[in-house]
Amino acid sequence: MVSSSSSSFFQRAHVLLSLLLLPTLTFANDTLPLYTDGGGHPVSSPYNYQRVDSSQILQDFYLIDTLSHFVRERIPERLVHAKGSGAHGYFQVTRDISNITMAAPFSEGIGAKVPLSMRFSTVAGEAGSPDTNRDPRGFAIKMRTSKGIWDWVFNNTPVFFVRDPTKFPLFIHSQKRDPQTNLRNPTIQWDYWSQNQESIYQVMILFSDRGSMHGWGGHTYKWVTAEGAWHYVKIKVISQQGIKNFNATAAKQMIADNLDWNTQELESRIDAGKFPKWTVAIQTMTPEQGQKWKYDVNDITKVWPEDEFPLLEVGEIVLDKNPQNWFSEIEQLSFSPGNMPPGAEPSNDPVLQARLFAYSDAARHRLGPNHMEIPVNCPIAVSNFQRAGYMRVDGGAGTLPPNSANYPSSFNPPVSFAPRPYNLSAIADPIVGPPVVSSSFQLSTKDFEQPNVLFNQIGAQEFTQEERESLVSNVIASLQQVTIKSIQQRSLDMFACVDKTLGSKIAAGIDLKVSSTLFCGA
């Protein structure tokens, strides 16, 4: 039988031992804020909770508060572009282009600066996937201009896989995990590409060694002057630090060594004061040139050759600040190509038109209806009639007082209205023909012309001999994993439509022959 004094001793020893095993904590210090729960109540230790001997009693609000918040710490990750890194900096105007656009900050003259945030990402992988996987890269830029947010939602390639917006969700399904096995599946990837062969230009870039961090807008836009004149415009953002890419072997090794190599490299470069810089350039085309051009000016699977439509340097981007809180500044960062100041307008590109809706809709799902109120997304100034909804904390609509009218009041007007600077009807593309319900574009021989140039010609934009050889070996390695012969055959024939020599080299690697009768969109 244990005496009461012995029992008391063991209890005191148990308490002492428990304290010794706790991590070292910093107690009251006038230079540090006091630790609290979510309601602001002081809490003596993040590890203590109320209990009776070894039995927990569920009345400790701190414990309930901590657990409840913990299981809600994650927001939905992006369905595409989930793995990403980012930083902050500025855009500076370096050329007067008032003859091309009235959009801020270009309207504010040479030297005008606006703050920006940028995010770099992979497309198909989840948030925890390697950032050196073979994948296109997202290249998104948020500028905070005096006339509102201007989002440039780019990729690191000048073209895209599809030009019909209805194809996009199904395309992404084919690149994600197989719903049966939850594994990435080369068979379904190549099945999709080979059924939608307008993707060939992008596929060739994807399987080359080009992982460059130039950025391309891809889409055609319309830029409008103060006088109402307009041009078609494409935007390119050119790396000033040079381009250095991993080949397939080095990329696989890097995946084993460091899942976050690109993320870490960006952060380390900025910390060391080696600020990444890009030259911003545009290509322009008049409406008349657009009507006469051999390709559809709104087709995102086509490039504008730079020898035909030269680059015009207009600005510079500098990244000089790493995020201090990755979740607040990068994970909550959202973009929409619909965010354009006056002087920038969308073209009739069907994929762009769909993205005008889809991007903002995704942000409302992921971050809530008031996602533009999150500081990293917030414009310099906003005044409108949007009210309430989840997480509305500004009392009203940005700069409006909380008690202002939430409609255009005749006796207590809360806002004034600026006239539209130009007539949208005057810059509209002509629409010819009756409405149809079908894919906007059918495959044609034109879809293989620019990929042929990419593969065969020698120049700054085209493949080197080393890149040609790498493309062949990378495609062979991937097609060897395809388990259905008919998909291998269709994929092989797609490359043969680009170039017969390219097709024959791939055929030898997968033990097939190019079809005797090729259909190449004829």
Side-chain angles (χ1 to χ4, degrees):
M1 183 173 181
V2 180
S3 69
S4 59
S5 59
S6 299
S7 175
S8 176
F9 169 79
F10 284 123
Q11 288 175 350
R12 291 196 302 271
H14 173 74
V15 171
L16 179 60
L17 182 61
S18 297
L19 290 173
L20 290 174
L21 292 176
L22 284 175
T24 301
L25 301 176
T26 301
F27 289 94
N29 184 325
D30 290 341
T31 64
L32 298 174
L34 284 176
Y35 180 66
T36 71
D37 63 15
H41 314 113
V43 177
S44 62
S45 167
Y47 305 113
N48 290 345
Y49 61 94
Q50 297 177 39
R51 63 183 183 179
V52 176
D53 195 17
S54 61
S55 299
Q56 178 184 335
I57 54 176
L58 198 60
Q59 70 176 38
D60 192 310
F61 180 77
Y62 168 74
L63 174 63
I64 297 169
D65 186 49
T66 299
L67 291 175
S68 299
H69 191 279
F70 173 71
V71 297
R72 292 168 174 82
E73 281 184 355
R74 296 293 180 264
I75 62 175
E77 71 174 37
R78 294 166 172 89
L79 189 64
V80 289
H81 298 277
K83 178 61 177 276
S85 57
H88 310 293
Y90 62 87
F91 170 81
Q92 185 166 24
V93 177
T94 59
R95 183 186 296 270
D96 178 6
I97 54 170
S98 55
N99 62 323
I100 297 173
T101 184
M102 62 169 288
F106 296 108
S107 60
E108 293 158 5
I110 296 174
K113 277 186 181 182
V114 292
L116 61 74
S117 298
M118 289 180 65
R119 186 173 184 270
F120 309 96
S121 58
T122 58
V123 174
E126 300 86 5
S129 62
D131 62 14
T132 48
N133 270 347
R134 182 178 299 283
D135 207 355
R137 262 63 184 166
F139 194 108
I141 304 164
K142 179 179 292 294
M143 291 188 287
R144 301 170 182 88
T145 83
S146 61
K147 301 298 182 182
I149 296 294
W150 197 354
D151 284 341
W152 289 356
V153 189
F154 293 2
N155 279 330
N156 70 327
T157 56
V159 293
F160 193 58
F161 295 95
V162 298
R163 56 195 172 201
D164 297 294
T166 49
K167 290 185 174 183
F168 179 76
L170 305 178
F171 159 61
I172 294 299
H173 283 178
S174 73
Q175 308 305 299
K176 290 284 191 175
R177 295 180 180 273
D178 186 326
Q180 180 183 4
T181 64
N182 200 40
L183 299 173
R184 299 288 294 277
N185 189 333
T187 298
I188 62 176
Q189 291 175 335
W190 283 101
D191 184 42
Y192 188 91
W193 289 328
S194 61
Q195 288 189 81
N196 299 275
Q197 295 190 14
E198 69 270 25
S199 66
I200 182 60
Y201 200 156
Q202 177 77 319
V203 171
M204 288 176 62
I205 296 173
L206 178 62
F207 280 87
S208 75
D209 288 342
R210 297 191 176 191
S212 70
M213 282 319 285
H214 297 321
W216 282 269
H219 296 296
T220 299
Y221 294 88
K222 295 178 180 179
W223 284 11
V224 191
T225 69
E227 295 73 33
W230 64 278
H231 291 77
Y232 292 116
V233 171
K234 280 185 182 281
I235 313 170
K236 182 179 181 181
V237 181
I238 306 162
S239 170
Q240 292 185 19
Q241 38 279 334
I243 299 295
K244 184 178 180 181
N245 298 315
F246 293 123
N247 60 26
T249 303
K252 287 180 180 179
Q253 181 59 50
M254 185 53 67
I255 289 171
D257 293 343
N258 186 350
L259 296 178
D260 306 308
W261 187 89
N262 280 310
T263 302
Q264 191 172 48
E265 200 275 341
L266 174 65
E267 181 180 325
S268 299
R269 182 181 290 270
I270 294 175
D271 279 344
K274 300 176 181 178
F275 301 142
K277 299 179 181 180
W278 289 264
T279 300
V280 177
I282 61 173
Q283 294 173 283
T284 64
M285 188 187 294
T286 65
E288 295 74 24
Q289 287 175 310
Q291 291 180 12
K292 295 176 181 177
W293 198 43
K294 69 177 296 185
Y295 303 111
D296 189 318
V297 71
N298 295 317
D299 184 350
I300 196 176
T301 67
K302 302 292 184 292
V303 298
W304 296 3
E306 292 177 8
D307 56 354
E308 189 175 353
F309 303 98
L311 289 171
L312 179 69
E313 295 183 7
V314 298
E316 183 180 65
I317 287 172
V318 178
L319 293 183
D320 58 5
K321 182 182 178 183
N322 278 315
Q324 301 303 299
N325 184 306
W326 183 88
F327 176 82
S328 296
E329 301 172 45
I330 304 302
E331 183 63 9
Q332 291 193 119
L333 187 59
S334 69
F335 302 89
S336 171
N339 287 325
M340 290 180 278
E345 300 288 342
S347 71
N348 286 1
D349 177 347
V351 177
L352 174 58
Q353 291 283 328
R355 292 175 88 198
L356 298 178
F357 162 76
Y359 273 63
S360 293
D361 186 58
R364 292 184 183 99
H365 160 67
R366 203 171 64 88
L367 301 169
N370 291 310
H371 64 279
M372 293 299 288
E373 195 184 331
I374 297 171
V376 74
N377 296 321
C378 193
I380 292 174
V382 56
S383 300
N384 56 42
F385 300 117
Q386 294 179 3
R387 294 292 178 127
Y390 294 116
M391 298 303 295
R392 192 87 209 196
V393 298
D394 66 354
T399 55
L400 295 183
N403 61 348
S404 64
N406 63 350
Y407 71 101
S409 170
S410 64
F411 62 89
N412 184 26
V415 294
S416 60
F417 299 92
R420 189 178 292 278
Y422 42 81
N423 183 356
L424 288 178
S425 299
I427 67 170
D429 284 336
I431 299 177
V432 180
V436 295
V437 180
S438 67
S439 293
S440 303
F441 299 92
Q442 301 301 321
L443 191 70
S444 76
T445 55
K446 289 183 179 180
D447 291 312
F448 299 98
E449 292 175 354
Q450 289 191 348
N452 178 276
V453 172
L454 178 70
F455 184 73
N456 282 303
Q457 293 193 10
I458 298 174
Q461 305 302 316
E462 287 75 40
F463 284 163
T464 63
Q465 182 58 32
E466 182 180 2
E467 285 179 300
R468 295 188 191 103
E469 294 171 358
S470 184
L471 168 66
V472 170
S473 62
N474 291 337
V475 169
I476 289 172
S478 185
L479 282 176
Q480 286 174 337
Q481 301 175 66
V482 173
T483 58
I484 300 175
K485 285 291 182 183
S486 62
I487 296 174
Q488 286 184 315
Q489 184 68 59
R490 193 166 61 234
S491 302
L492 165 61
D493 292 346
M494 176 173 64
F495 286 101
C497 284
V498 172
D499 181 87
K500 290 183 178 179
T501 300
L502 173 61
S504 64
K505 289 183 177 181
I506 294 173
I510 59 175
D511 196 25
L512 287 176
K513 293 182 179 179
V514 174
S515 296
S516 57
T517 56
L518 285 178
F519 172 74
C520 299

